[in-house]
Amino acid sequence: MDKKRPVLSISMLVSNNRRDTIEKCMESLVPLLKAVPSELIIVDTGCTDGSVDIARKYADKVVQFTWCKDFAAARNAGLVECTGEWFLYLDDDEWFEDVSPLIAFFQSSGKDKCDALWYLQRNYDSMEGNSYTDAYVGRCVKMTPDTKFCGKIHEWIEPLPTKILKTDVFVHHYGYVYKSEEDRQKHLERNLTLEEEAVRENPNDMRMCCQLVQEYRVARRYEDALALCERYLKDVDESDINAFIQYMRLAVAKIYKEWEKYDKSLEAFEDLEKNYKLLHQTRLGLYYDKALLFGCIKKEEELVQTFLRYLKEYDASPEAGEPDFPVMDFAQYQSELFRQRAVEYAVANILCGEVYSYAEEVF
């Protein structure tokens, strides 16, 4: 008799220097693997420090992959071995806080009414875990014959889902915590090299171009980031509501803010708000980051007003025909954590600026 098809396939790449997190990752999956008919596929990308031996104890299969500086190729090597109705992938430096909502989802009929489940990735910037950001990630999808990974780095799944269920399930992610400044620089240089190669190979890939803009910002290469944005925005119609185009438009204002060119940043924010048709996710990012700019230039009342606009937009829904899923950093503005921080910033600035006329609404 043929073996029954698993409900869920989970795949993970294993690399070096993850011995301190990989067992936490594996253990967090155990309740899910026990409660839902599942399989766990491990892709060994050349591990030499014993991390893959830890993962092997939990895995149904280990796939050997010769690293070729292509994350999509490595992910696809695991994907082709998966036979489940649903597919979930994660990294060896993150683990779930609580998988019981995932268990409930896969045991219910709800899994037949959507084609993707989004959860939160909690990105820490220190091992103490007291500073982080949350962002939705689209790493759990219903399998189709066309399901595949794309992108040499910061890979994503295609075809893009159309019916998404968002959940508050989250993973602890320590991929941006480094043991030394040297390690941080190596990681940054690796990313930049791969992203620049990918953009040269496919200059029309807007997603990868946006990723490169983001990486230039992390590296504080602001001139390069602006030049890339300006190159792609030069001939774009003002009415274009492509989410990646709008991401670049917002990035221009954010780059100037990070560069501490506050007058230019404010000018870019106001130009974006006045002259372009914006998506719901763009408006969220615009109001949130414009409010932070007002904090930089000590305009407490404008900060509170703009955060109130963010909170109002947060409670609104995308207009008919808008994409329902956020791209890249837009995802973080839709998290409860950012909403909570908006309220906290507004309260703090009401007190600092003594702009008490907004206190009732904010509280």
Side-chain angles (χ1 to χ4, degrees), residues 179-195:
K179 295 179 180 178
S180 67
E181 178 60 22
E182 182 182 3
D183 286 346
R184 191 186 79 83
Q185 285 297 328
K186 285 181 179 178
H187 186 265
L188 182 57
E189 288 168 10
R190 181 207 70 178
N191 285 6
L192 278 169
T193 299
L194 291 178
E195 287 164 1

Side-chain angles (χ1 to χ4, degrees), residues 83-143:
T83 61
E85 300 172 34
W86 280 76
F87 173 73
L88 183 154
Y89 74 99
L90 69 164
D91 295 324
D92 53 5
D93 56 11
E94 60 188 5
W95 61 91
F96 282 101
E97 171 69 14
D98 178 14
V99 295
S100 55
L102 296 181
I103 293 171
F105 171 78
F106 287 115
Q107 290 180 341
S108 73
S109 60
K111 71 180 186 302
D112 302 320
K113 300 174 183 177
C114 61
D115 57 4
L117 178 75
W118 283 23
Y119 58 83
L120 290 164
Q121 186 180 65
R122 180 156 291 178
N123 297 301
Y124 296 92
D125 55 23
S126 70
M127 286 306 298
E128 292 73 26
N130 51 17
S131 178
Y132 56 83
T133 59
D134 281 353
Y136 283 108
V137 290
R139 296 190 169 191
C140 184
V141 299
K142 188 173 289 186
M143 288 276 271

Side-chain angles (χ1 to χ4, degrees), residues 144 164 267 313:
T144 76
I164 300 165
E267 182 182 327
E313 186 67 36

Side-chain angles (χ1 to χ4, degrees), residues 10-216:
I10 303 174
S11 182
M12 185 175 73
L13 306 184
V14 176
S15 56
N16 284 329
N17 303 318
R18 298 303 187 203
R19 288 181 62 88
D20 55 343
T21 58
I22 193 165
E23 190 142 24
K24 290 180 181 179
C25 179
M26 296 291 96
E27 282 296 317
S28 77
L29 294 172
V30 168
L32 179 61
L33 295 170
K34 287 183 176 179
V36 177
S38 307
E39 60 182 0
L40 176 59
I41 310 297
I42 298 297
V43 179
D44 180 2
T45 61
C47 179
T48 58
D49 69 349
S51 297
V52 74
D53 296 323
I54 296 173
R56 195 185 303 274
K57 296 184 294 184
Y58 300 83
D60 293 286
K61 188 170 187 177
V62 176
V63 177
Q64 301 298 321
F65 180 81
T66 301
W67 180 242
C68 59
K69 297 182 180 180
D70 188 325
F71 282 90
R75 296 283 189 195
N76 284 326
L79 178 62
V80 297
E81 301 294 333
C82 294
T83 61
E85 300 172 34
W86 280 76
F87 173 73
L88 183 154
Y89 74 99
L90 69 164
D91 295 324
D92 53 5
D93 56 11
E94 60 188 5
W95 61 91
F96 282 101
E97 171 69 14
D98 178 14
V99 295
S100 55
L102 296 181
I103 293 171
F105 171 78
F106 287 115
Q107 290 180 341
S108 73
S109 60
K111 71 180 186 302
D112 302 320
K113 300 174 183 177
C114 61
D115 57 4
L117 178 75
W118 283 23
Y119 58 83
L120 290 164
Q121 186 180 65
R122 180 156 291 178
N123 297 301
Y124 296 92
D125 55 23
S126 70
M127 286 306 298
E128 292 73 26
N130 51 17
S131 178
Y132 56 83
T133 59
D134 281 353
Y136 283 108
V137 290
R139 296 190 169 191
C140 184
V141 299
K142 188 173 289 186
M143 288 276 271
T144 76
D146 298 321
T147 300
K148 65 178 180 180
F149 283 94
C150 299
K152 182 173 287 190
I153 186 171
H154 303 304
E155 63 282 8
W156 64 93
I157 296 178
E158 290 189 354
L160 295 176
T162 57
K163 297 178 182 178
I164 300 165
L165 176 66
K166 292 179 181 177
T167 172
D168 291 333
V169 173
F170 71 92
V171 290
H172 300 279
H173 180 234
Y174 284 83
Y176 302 124
V177 178
Y178 307 101
K179 295 179 180 178
S180 67
E181 178 60 22
E182 182 182 3
D183 286 346
R184 191 186 79 83
Q185 285 297 328
K186 285 181 179 178
H187 186 265
L188 182 57
E189 288 168 10
R190 181 207 70 178
N191 285 6
L192 278 169
T193 299
L194 291 178
E195 287 164 1
E196 288 174 336
E197 285 178 3
V199 169
R200 283 195 298 271
E201 291 168 4
N202 189 357
N204 295 320
D205 185 341
M206 287 301 302
R207 186 186 190 112
M208 190 53 65
C209 291
C210 289
Q211 292 286 4
L212 182 53
V213 168
Q214 170 66 13
E215 213 69 55
Y216 282 147

Side-chain angles (χ1 to χ4, degrees), residues 149-321:
F149 283 94
C150 299
K152 182 173 287 190
I153 186 171
H154 303 304
E155 63 282 8
W156 64 93
I157 296 178
E158 290 189 354
L160 295 176
T162 57
K163 297 178 182 178
I164 300 165
L165 176 66
K166 292 179 181 177
T167 172
D168 291 333
V169 173
F170 71 92
V171 290
H172 300 279
H173 180 234
Y174 284 83
Y176 302 124
V177 178
Y178 307 101
K179 295 179 180 178
S180 67
E181 178 60 22
E182 182 182 3
D183 286 346
R184 191 186 79 83
Q185 285 297 328
K186 285 181 179 178
H187 186 265
L188 182 57
E189 288 168 10
R190 181 207 70 178
N191 285 6
L192 278 169
T193 299
L194 291 178
E195 287 164 1
E196 288 174 336
E197 285 178 3
V199 169
R200 283 195 298 271
E201 291 168 4
N202 189 357
N204 295 320
D205 185 341
M206 287 301 302
R207 186 186 190 112
M208 190 53 65
C209 291
C210 289
Q211 292 286 4
L212 182 53
V213 168
Q214 170 66 13
E215 213 69 55
Y216 282 147
R217 287 171 54 205
V218 172
R220 299 193 178 106
R221 289 171 55 178
Y222 299 126
E223 290 182 351
D224 290 328
L226 280 174
L228 189 57
C229 288
E230 289 166 359
R231 187 194 342 167
Y232 284 93
L233 295 176
K234 182 175 61 175
D235 299 318
V236 176
D237 190 89
E238 292 179 359
S239 62
D240 195 318
I241 59 170
N242 176 283
F244 292 107
I245 292 293
Q246 298 214 348
Y247 178 90
M248 281 199 175
R249 294 197 195 283
L250 181 60
V252 170
K254 293 172 69 172
I255 290 163
Y256 280 126
K257 177 172 71 70
E258 293 161 8
W259 206 355
E260 298 183 1
K261 295 180 180 291
Y262 298 136
D263 289 344
K264 285 186 172 293
S265 178
L266 184 57
E267 182 182 327
F269 276 124
E270 291 182 346
D271 175 65
L272 180 60
E273 188 171 358
K274 291 176 183 176
N275 297 319
Y276 298 92
K277 178 178 173 57
L278 302 180
L279 298 169
H280 168 68
Q281 55 188 272
T282 316
R283 291 191 294 271
L284 284 172
L286 168 67
Y287 298 145
Y288 194 96
D289 282 296
K290 189 178 181 182
L292 294 181
L293 171 64
F294 284 131
C296 294
I297 58 181
K298 309 299 181 186
K299 291 191 174 184
E300 289 89 357
E301 184 169 359
E302 289 86 345
L303 178 147
V304 176
Q305 291 172 337
T306 310
F307 269 135
L308 284 170
R309 295 180 73 187
Y310 166 81
L311 294 168
K312 183 177 180 181
E313 186 67 36
Y314 185 97
D315 292 332
S317 300
E319 294 180 5

